């Protein structure tokens, strides 16, 4: 993540009423019309807010977020939610409009950006601001109305309405500008530079995928990925492993198209069941097709659940029948624990409410692996009541302990940490120590700061490597570990254990 991680959270107290229509109003430049079209497409797709989403280095688009330590109660799930925060949302919309990254950084960075100019510096508490604005302009607020404390940005639609990503646990919404600039919160507004002449709103159709508002997350290009629409032809997912083979068919005996030497972002068009693969203690038969590379990768090597909820299943003309000798049954990984019952839901969060989606259903009793358990929503089912849930890494989701054979709290399964954070597939659990510990973009103290861990924290470690030698806290060590939840590196000095961590593979 970038410096967006230090931006204060938007106050959760909110009286704005969501509106049920997202459309541009009034004349705007072609670029502003495109930015609004994509912002409204993300609104129609119910794109979730996730803190820090849209700010991964070298990539513009929806990403997994991070925990906002000023609002842990609501944001602890954000590392497992792919979406955008407020500044990531407007950054992405204008990236699609300008074909370059014109609004990187935090909301404050965007307000001060050399790629924008002020059209309404705050001076009268917000009265009559609509008279200064055009669709596509960015409107900024803070708790006290001061520039230094800017904490939120919205995209203006025209006709007194805005579209925004506004807080953890919610999705993009449209509401009135007036409701968001009360109580002296308005700071000002800016307009992106180098736009064309004003025109009446045009019609954008799926015939031109570069500006297709109905498919907002396809054709997302990472900066430097190449022109011509080749890079990013699909939904972005991030790898965690090294030296991963991309194969011509979804099986291990197929020819290798290319090998990816290090964790990177890849673009996925669709997924299907292929040959069952076992690696790093997990088994999965799901494979994803990478159109940019012309081949298939086992989902074991992609961060996230065994089967991605945001990636479509390969349809007619896309399915590859060369599945090898593996089973075609999904999620064949077994484990020392066992479910009971039929049609048992595995959920994205340990809740049954609207914030949780069903990732898969276990049609019958199934052997499963459990990484940890925690107390969450109380559930009553099958004549039992229990608030304990367990995390199943091979499915990337949670199951109520009611449906696990054994006691209400499963003996021998550790508790998830205080934030309810499980250990994702392909990683090892770890624990930091100390305060104000820096996570870096690269394994070097001179590289960019991703975030700081203010207190000892349970973390997931994907791999470690020898890099810059660091002396701190009376120790010297050149080992660094990669933490995929934060997309950053930490010196092993600040991880509990030996200088080189047992059980963690080399990057």
């Amino acid at each position: 993540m970038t410096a967006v991680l230090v931006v204060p959270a938007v106050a959760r107290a909110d009286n704005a009423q969501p509106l049920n229509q997202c459309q541009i109003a009034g004349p705007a430049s072609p670029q502003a019309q495109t930015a609004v079209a994509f912002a409204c497409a993300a609104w129609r797709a119910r794109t979730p807010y996730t803190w820090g989403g849209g700010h991964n280095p070298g990539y513009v688009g929806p990403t997994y977020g991070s925990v906002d330590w000023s609002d842990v109660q609501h944001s602890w799930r954000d590392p497992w939610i792919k979406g955008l925060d407020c500044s990531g949302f407007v950054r992405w919309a204008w990236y699609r409009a300008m074909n370059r990254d014109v609004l990187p950084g935090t909301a404050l960075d965007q307000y001060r950006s050399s790629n924008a100019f002020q059209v309404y510096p705050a001076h009268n508490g917000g009265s009559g601001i609509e008279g200064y604005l055009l669709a596509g302009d960015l409107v900024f607020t803070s708790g006290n109305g001061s520039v230094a404390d800017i904490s939120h940005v919205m995209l203006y639609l025209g006709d007194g309405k805005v579209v925004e990503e506004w807080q953890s646990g919610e999705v993009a919404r449209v509401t009135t500008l007036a409701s968001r600039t009360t109580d002296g919160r308005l700071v000002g507004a800016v307009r992106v530079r180098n736009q064309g002449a004003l025109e009446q709103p045009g019609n954008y159709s799926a015939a031109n995928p570069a500006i297709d508002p109905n498919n907002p997350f396809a054709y997302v290009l990472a900066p430097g990925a190449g022109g011509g629409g080749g890079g990013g032809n699909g939904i972005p997912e991030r790898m965690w492993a090294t030296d991963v083979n991309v194969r011509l068919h979804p099986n291990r005996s197929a020819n290798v198209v290319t090998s990816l030497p290090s964790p990177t972002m890849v673009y996925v068009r669709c997924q299907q069941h292929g040959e069952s693969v076992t690696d790093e203690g997990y088994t999965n038969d799901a494979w994803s097709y990478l159109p940019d590379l012309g081949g298939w990768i086992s989902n074991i090597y992609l961060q996230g659940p065994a089967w991605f909820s945001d990636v479509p299943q390969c349809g007619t003309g896309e399915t590859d029948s060369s599945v090898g000798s593996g089973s075609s049954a999904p999620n064949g990984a077994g484990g020392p624990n066992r479910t009971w019952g039929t049609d048992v839901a595995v959920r994205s969060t340990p809740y049954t409410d609207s914030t949780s989606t069903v990732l898969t259903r276990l049609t019958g009793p199934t052997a499963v692996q459990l990484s940890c358990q925690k107390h969450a929503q109380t559930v009553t089912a099958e004549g039992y009541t229990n608030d304990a849930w367990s995390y199943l890494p091979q499915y990337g989701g949670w199951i109520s302990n009611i449906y696990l054979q054994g006691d209400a709290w499963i003996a021998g399964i550790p508790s998830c940490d205080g934030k309810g954070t499980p250990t994702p597939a392909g990683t090892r659990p770890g624990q930091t120590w100390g305060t104000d510990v820096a996570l870096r973009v690269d394994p070097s103290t001179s590289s960019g700061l991703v975030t700081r861990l203010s207190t000892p924290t349970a973390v997931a470690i994907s791999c470690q490597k020898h890099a810059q030698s660091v002396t701190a806290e009376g120790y010297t060590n050149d080992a660094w570990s990669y933490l995929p939840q934060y997309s950053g590196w930490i010196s092993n000095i600040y991880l509990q254990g030996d200088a080189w961590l047992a059980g963690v593979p080399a990057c």
Side-chain angles (χ1 to χ4, degrees), residues 111-138:
Y111 184 76
R112 293 173 168 171
S113 173
S114 61
N115 291 318
F117 63 93
Q118 291 186 357
V119 294
Y120 184 86
H123 57 79
N124 62 355
S127 175
I129 184 175
E130 291 91 339
Y132 295 83
L133 301 180
L134 296 173
D137 288 350
L138 310 184

Side-chain angles (χ1 to χ4, degrees), residues 431-435 437 455-457 472-473 475 492-497:
Q431 179 78 33
T432 69
W433 67 276
T435 59
V437 174
T455 59
T457 304
E473 308 293 340
Y475 300 95
N492 281 17
I493 286 175
Y494 297 105
L495 290 171
Q496 295 181 15

